[in-house]
């Protein structure tokens, strides 16, 4: 009896719940739950539609993010074309690294140029460095060769001569704003300037021009005496001629398009400056007895005479010792050596090899020659000493000769600077010609929708769709349990209706109970 009462009570309460009027207005929470349930736990058609929709949303978000990050991008293909790159070095032998193509100093130099024109004013070198990537480009055939040599146990190294610099222009400002979407794109200009900067840097610091600049820099203070001035310029002149002779061995018939000169012409011009004009000034100084400090000059000259006399005495003694050895040598001692000729026509021949007597003779001749040179030098310095001792620095003639000497020295320095500038221009043209311009670069914009990027979009689309399918697989058991609970409730209601004598509820065309479209508890 009590059981029937409880059953009747539940039936009445269920009937009251069914008769409860619907809530006014749309129930968004219920609609979202219903849509999610139909996609995740309903039929597979809804799941596939949800997978495609979610994949499209993920692809759109990925494309938008990529455009926002890389809307302004460019890449430069660089070829290092000077011969020394085969050994991984610069033209002067310094070690080469690919990261030096976009180092911070070069980026800062280019940034300063562009900021002077009102571009990239809100960026720093560190900001631009974050968007730069340098990679080496190696052909497949080269990679196979290196792998083959290393697999055989050989120490084989290869230095690439092709590199790629990718640059993505950063966004101005820390936070997102609509103005960032219409910023000017200066990526191609930046890369072009960067390549030009590196060409100039290699030419100046690694292309042998630095050594030439050091040799042409003649720092002549005003405190130098006249003879010291001559010695300084003579040393610079000899160093420059030696440097140019080494360059001329591989220059051939090169003519500079800028100056029209060859390396041989420069050698001749520096020879004239050193052996003719500089010698003329030196003789004028000595014959006129010119000096800025007479007492100091005479002291230095006396010291040089004493040192030369000491060296001459040693050479004379060395010659005497070797002369005695020559006279006391036993000439009856002979030794012959059988030597095989390189030519079959000559056959065999005999020759006397070098003996102790030969060494003694060479030492005697060398010591004799040196003693003669020292004696001549001492005589010249004594004559010069006599001239300077008789010179009157207060005379008008001496003042006139000193003024004339100053004019000759100033004219020489002016011509020397002009000749060094001419040589620098000619040498720059030659080194650029010899090294093929050091670098060859081609800059082009980086396409946003390349084949690689399309494949990445398809990958994101596939991953998004796969997430939805996996959720369906995971949540499908939940849908089955909800269906079983719903059918169990329907059976209980049918039994209650039959017990109370009420007609059975109408069913849908598919055989199920007609569902309520407003109740959040009906699924």
């Amino acid at each position: 009896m009590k059981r029937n009462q409880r059953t009747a009570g539940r039936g009445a309460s269920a009937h009251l719940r069914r008769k409860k009027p619907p809530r006014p207005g749309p129930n968004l929470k219920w609609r979202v739950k219903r849509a999610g349930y139909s996609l995740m736990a309903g039929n597979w058609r809804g799941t596939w539609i949800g997978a495609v929709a979610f994949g499209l949303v993920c692809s759109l978000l990925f494309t938008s993010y990529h455009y926002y990050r890389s809307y302004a991008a460019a890449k430069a293909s660089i070829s290092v074309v000077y011969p020394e790159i085969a050994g991984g070095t610069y033209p002067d032998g310094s070690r080469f690294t690919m990261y030096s193509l976009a180092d911070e100093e070069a980026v800062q130099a280019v940034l300063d140029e562009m900021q002077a024109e009102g571009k990239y004013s809100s960026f720093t070198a560190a900001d631009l460095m974050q968007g730069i990537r340098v990679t080496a480009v190696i052909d497949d055939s080269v990679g196979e060769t290196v792998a083959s040599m290393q697999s055989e146990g050989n120490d084989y190294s290869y230095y690439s001569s092709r590199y790629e610099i990718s640059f993505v222009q950063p966004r101005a400002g820390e936070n997102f704003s609509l103005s960032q979407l219409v910023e000017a794109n200066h990526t191609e200009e930046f890369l072009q300037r960067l390549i030009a900067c590196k060409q100039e840097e290699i030419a100046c610091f690694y292309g042998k021009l630095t050594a030439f600049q050091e040799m042409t820099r003649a720092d002549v203070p005003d405190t130098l005496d006249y003879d010291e001035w001559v010695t300084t310029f003579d040393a610079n002149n000899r160093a420059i001629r030696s440097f140019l002779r080494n360059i001329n061995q591989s220059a051939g018939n090169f003519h500079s398009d800028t100056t029209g000169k060859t390396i041989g012409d420069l050698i001749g011009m520096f020879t004239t400056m050193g052996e003719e004009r500089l010698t003329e000034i030196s003789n004028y100084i000595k014959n006129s007895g010119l000096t800025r400090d007479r007492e100091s000059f005479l002291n230095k000259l006396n010291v040089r005479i004493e040192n030369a006399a000491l060296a001459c005495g040693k050479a004379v003694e060395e010659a005497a010792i070797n002369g005695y050895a020559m006279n006391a040598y036993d000439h009856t001692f002979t030794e012959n050596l059988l030597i095989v000729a390189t030519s079959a026509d000559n056959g065999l021949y005999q020759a006397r090899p070098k003996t102790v007597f030969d060494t003694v003779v060479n030492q005697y001749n060398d010591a004799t020659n040196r003693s003669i040179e020292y004696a001549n030098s001492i005589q010249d310095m004594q004559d010069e000493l006599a001239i300077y001792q008789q010179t009157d620095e207060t005379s008008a003639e001496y003042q006139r000769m000193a003024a004339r000497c100053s004019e000759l020295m100033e004219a020489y320095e002016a011509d020397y600077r002009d000749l060094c500038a001419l040589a620098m221009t000619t040498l720059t043209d030659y080194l650029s010609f010899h090294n093929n311009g050091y670098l060859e670069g081609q800059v082009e914009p980086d396409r946003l929708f390349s084949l690689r990027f399309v494949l990445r979009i398809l990958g994101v689309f596939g991953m998004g769709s796969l997430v939805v399918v996996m959720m369906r697989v995971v949540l499908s058991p939940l849908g089955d349990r909800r269906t079983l609970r719903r059918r169990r409730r329907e059976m209980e209601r049918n039994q209650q209706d039959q017990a109370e004598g009420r007609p059975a509820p109408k069913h849908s065309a598919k055989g199920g109970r007609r569902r309520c479209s407003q109740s959040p508890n009906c699924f």
Side-chain angles (χ1 to χ4, degrees), residues 121-252:
S121 57
S122 60
F123 297 140
T124 63
D127 297 335
L128 300 184
M129 290 290 293
Q130 294 179 357
I132 297 177
R133 186 178 73 252
V134 182
T135 56
V137 180
I138 302 179
D139 297 334
D140 296 337
S141 59
V142 175
E144 294 175 357
T145 302
V146 174
S148 176
M149 296 293 290
Q150 291 180 349
S151 63
E152 296 175 0
N154 299 324
D155 185 11
Y156 185 83
S157 58
Y158 172 78
Y159 298 94
S160 176
S161 60
R162 296 175 55 200
Y163 301 91
E164 184 175 282
I165 302 178
S166 301
F167 174 59
V168 177
Q169 179 176 302
R171 293 283 186 178
E174 298 180 356
N175 301 322
F176 173 78
S177 62
L178 295 177
S179 61
Q180 294 176 345
L181 302 177
V182 292
E183 292 178 354
N185 185 358
H186 301 296
T187 53
E188 295 184 54
E189 180 184 359
F190 174 81
L191 289 177
Q192 290 173 352
R193 295 195 180 197
L194 182 62
I195 295 174
C197 178
K198 296 306 297 184
Q199 285 178 325
E200 183 179 357
E201 178 183 338
I202 295 175
C204 293
F205 297 102
Y206 303 105
K208 299 181 180 180
L209 283 179
T210 304
F212 184 77
Q213 289 176 341
E214 292 295 330
M215 287 184 289
T216 57
R217 186 179 294 112
D219 296 329
V220 183
D222 297 337
T223 57
L224 287 182
D225 206 345
Y226 294 111
D227 63 320
E228 294 173 340
W229 180 91
V230 173
T231 302
T232 301
F233 276 98
D234 182 63
N236 288 346
N237 190 283
R238 292 179 184 274
I240 291 172
R241 280 184 285 171
S242 177
F243 178 84
L244 293 177
R245 289 192 185 99
N246 293 332
I247 295 293
N248 194 39
Q249 293 178 359
S250 58

Side-chain angles (χ1 to χ4, degrees), residues 225 291-298 300 393 398:
D225 206 345
T291 178
R292 289 190 171 94
D293 189 347
R294 183 170 179 272
E295 183 178 358
S296 176
F297 179 81
L298 293 177
K300 290 188 296 182
E393 296 180 313
Y398 182 89

Side-chain angles (χ1 to χ4, degrees), residues 109-415:
V110 175
L111 180 61
D112 293 340
E113 294 179 2
M114 299 186 68
Q115 287 182 343
E117 300 175 2
K119 305 171 184 176
Y120 286 173
S121 57
S122 60
F123 297 140
T124 63
D127 297 335
L128 300 184
M129 290 290 293
Q130 294 179 357
I132 297 177
R133 186 178 73 252
V134 182
T135 56
V137 180
I138 302 179
D139 297 334
D140 296 337
S141 59
V142 175
E144 294 175 357
T145 302
V146 174
S148 176
M149 296 293 290
Q150 291 180 349
S151 63
E152 296 175 0
N154 299 324
D155 185 11
Y156 185 83
S157 58
Y158 172 78
Y159 298 94
S160 176
S161 60
R162 296 175 55 200
Y163 301 91
E164 184 175 282
I165 302 178
S166 301
F167 174 59
V168 177
Q169 179 176 302
R171 293 283 186 178
E174 298 180 356
N175 301 322
F176 173 78
S177 62
L178 295 177
S179 61
Q180 294 176 345
L181 302 177
V182 292
E183 292 178 354
N185 185 358
H186 301 296
T187 53
E188 295 184 54
E189 180 184 359
F190 174 81
L191 289 177
Q192 290 173 352
R193 295 195 180 197
L194 182 62
I195 295 174
C197 178
K198 296 306 297 184
Q199 285 178 325
E200 183 179 357
E201 178 183 338
I202 295 175
C204 293
F205 297 102
Y206 303 105
K208 299 181 180 180
L209 283 179
T210 304
F212 184 77
Q213 289 176 341
E214 292 295 330
M215 287 184 289
T216 57
R217 186 179 294 112
D219 296 329
V220 183
D222 297 337
T223 57
L224 287 182
D225 206 345
Y226 294 111
D227 63 320
E228 294 173 340
W229 180 91
V230 173
T231 302
T232 301
F233 276 98
D234 182 63
N236 288 346
N237 190 283
R238 292 179 184 274
I240 291 172
R241 280 184 285 171
S242 177
F243 178 84
L244 293 177
R245 289 192 185 99
N246 293 332
I247 295 293
N248 194 39
Q249 293 178 359
S250 58
N253 296 325
F254 168 79
H255 283 76
S256 172
D257 295 335
T258 306
T259 63
K261 302 294 183 181
T262 64
I263 304 299
D265 295 337
L266 297 178
I267 296 174
M269 298 171 72
F270 275 102
T271 301
T272 301
M273 290 284 292
E275 297 184 356
E276 294 183 10
R277 292 189 59 181
L278 198 60
T279 302
E280 178 184 357
I281 296 175
S282 177
N283 293 335
Y284 183 85
I285 293 172
K286 292 180 180 180
N287 295 331
S288 302
L290 299 177
T291 178
R292 289 190 171 94
D293 189 347
R294 183 170 179 272
E295 183 178 358
S296 176
F297 179 81
L298 293 177
N299 291 335
K300 290 188 296 182
L301 193 56
N302 285 322
V303 172
R304 290 166 53 191
I305 292 174
E306 292 177 0
N307 293 334
L310 180 60
C312 181
K314 291 181 179 180
V316 170
E317 292 179 0
E318 183 180 350
I321 293 173
N322 284 278
Y324 173 79
M326 291 171 56
N327 296 329
Y329 187 78
D330 184 7
H331 293 280
T332 60
F333 175 76
T334 57
E335 181 180 2
N336 295 330
L337 180 67
L338 189 64
I339 300 177
V340 180
T342 57
S343 176
D345 298 334
N346 296 332
L348 303 179
Y349 69 94
Q350 291 182 342
R352 183 176 64 84
K354 183 177 182 180
T355 63
V356 176
F357 183 78
D358 298 326
T359 303
V360 171
V361 171
N362 290 335
Q363 292 178 354
Y364 172 79
N365 293 333
D366 181 65
T368 302
N369 293 333
R370 284 189 285 112
S371 63
I372 294 174
E373 291 177 359
Y374 284 127
N376 294 334
S377 178
I378 292 172
Q379 184 62 43
D380 293 340
M381 287 187 290
Q382 289 177 346
D383 295 341
E384 185 178 357
L385 181 62
I387 294 174
Y388 277 90
Q389 288 176 343
Q390 298 174 2
T391 301
D392 184 8
E393 296 180 313
T394 60
S395 63
E397 181 64 17
Y398 182 89
Q399 298 297 330
R400 185 191 65 81
M401 291 187 296
R404 174 58 181 168
C405 182
S406 299
E407 294 176 359
L408 293 175
M409 292 167 59
E410 292 175 359
Y412 182 88
E413 290 181 2
D415 294 341

Side-chain angles (χ1 to χ4, degrees), residues 44 148 150 173 180 220 228 232 300 422 437 442 457 475 481 496 507:
W44 277 95
S148 176
Q150 291 180 349
Q180 294 176 345
V220 183
E228 294 173 340
T232 301
K300 290 188 296 182
L422 178 67
Q442 182 178 2
I457 293 177
L475 297 178
R481 289 194 297 269
Q496 294 174 3
H507 291 72

